[in-house]
Amino acid sequence: MGEHDKHRLLAWHLQLQAAHRRLHRALRLARESLQAGDTAAARADLLLHCQGFCAALDGHHVREDAGLFPQLSARHPSLRPTLAKLRQDHELIAQLLRRFDHAITSGAAPDELALHLDGLSAIMHSHFRYEERELLGVLAALDLDADPHDLLGPF
């Protein structure tokens, strides 16, 4: 089986769920780093895990907007309002990620960082639930020759 055939056999709904699970794990690592305290080592872990989480979540949404959503929009025009709402969520999450990243790099106190992470977590969970509720059925039947990293991000 060639590389082309492997992509066609992908279960896209499972790929989306797997991407979301990986992002939840990244969020958990960021939280654990934050809870570890404010020692120099904990601060280094916090920078690594939180900035990694920020980059992964942003990368996932950028790839959805540029890769997956245009494919779905072309094949399922009735999804366009849903996709527009998901893009709006992505913009809001990107703003929150920028604020969180600024708080991290400016040396904000752990309590302030925790508030940023709590807000991101709440919106991320809500967004993922909505996205899965609206798209998993369509994705389960999607026959698309593409690399999952191109449509869902590398994380």
Side-chain angles (χ1 to χ4, degrees), residues 10-28:
L10 283 175
W12 286 99
H13 64 298
L14 298 178
Q15 292 292 321
L16 179 66
Q17 288 176 312
H20 287 173
R21 280 192 306 275
R22 289 189 297 271
L23 288 163
H24 281 292
R25 279 194 300 271
L27 175 64
R28 190 186 73 245

Side-chain angles (χ1 to χ4, degrees), residues 19 26-27 35 53 60 78-80 86 90 103 117 127 151-153:
L27 175 64
Q35 293 166 351
F53 163 70
H60 170 63
S78 64
L79 283 177
R80 288 178 183 157
L86 290 169
H90 292 173
L117 206 52
H127 171 75
L151 301 186
L152 298 173

Side-chain angles (χ1 to χ4, degrees), residues 19 22 55-56 58-60 63 147-155:
R22 289 189 297 271
D58 188 57
H60 170 63
R63 293 310 316 148
D147 185 322
H149 295 129
D150 292 340
L151 301 186
L152 298 173
F155 188 67

Side-chain angles (χ1 to χ4, degrees), residues 42-103:
R43 189 94 183 139
D45 285 347
L46 175 66
L47 288 170
L48 175 69
H49 291 129
C50 290
Q51 288 180 326
F53 163 70
C54 290
L57 183 57
D58 188 57
H60 170 63
H61 289 157
V62 165
R63 293 310 316 148
E64 281 183 334
D65 288 346
L68 180 62
F69 291 177
Q71 293 287 339
L72 292 177
S73 180
R75 294 163 190 246
H76 301 279
S78 64
L79 283 177
R80 288 178 183 157
T82 298
L83 298 173
K85 163 124 179 48
L86 290 169
R87 283 187 186 101
Q88 286 177 337
D89 284 358
H90 292 173
E91 290 173 19
L92 172 61
I93 291 169
Q95 289 174 3
L96 294 175
L97 286 171
R98 284 191 295 276
R99 290 179 192 153
F100 183 46
D101 185 61
H102 176 73

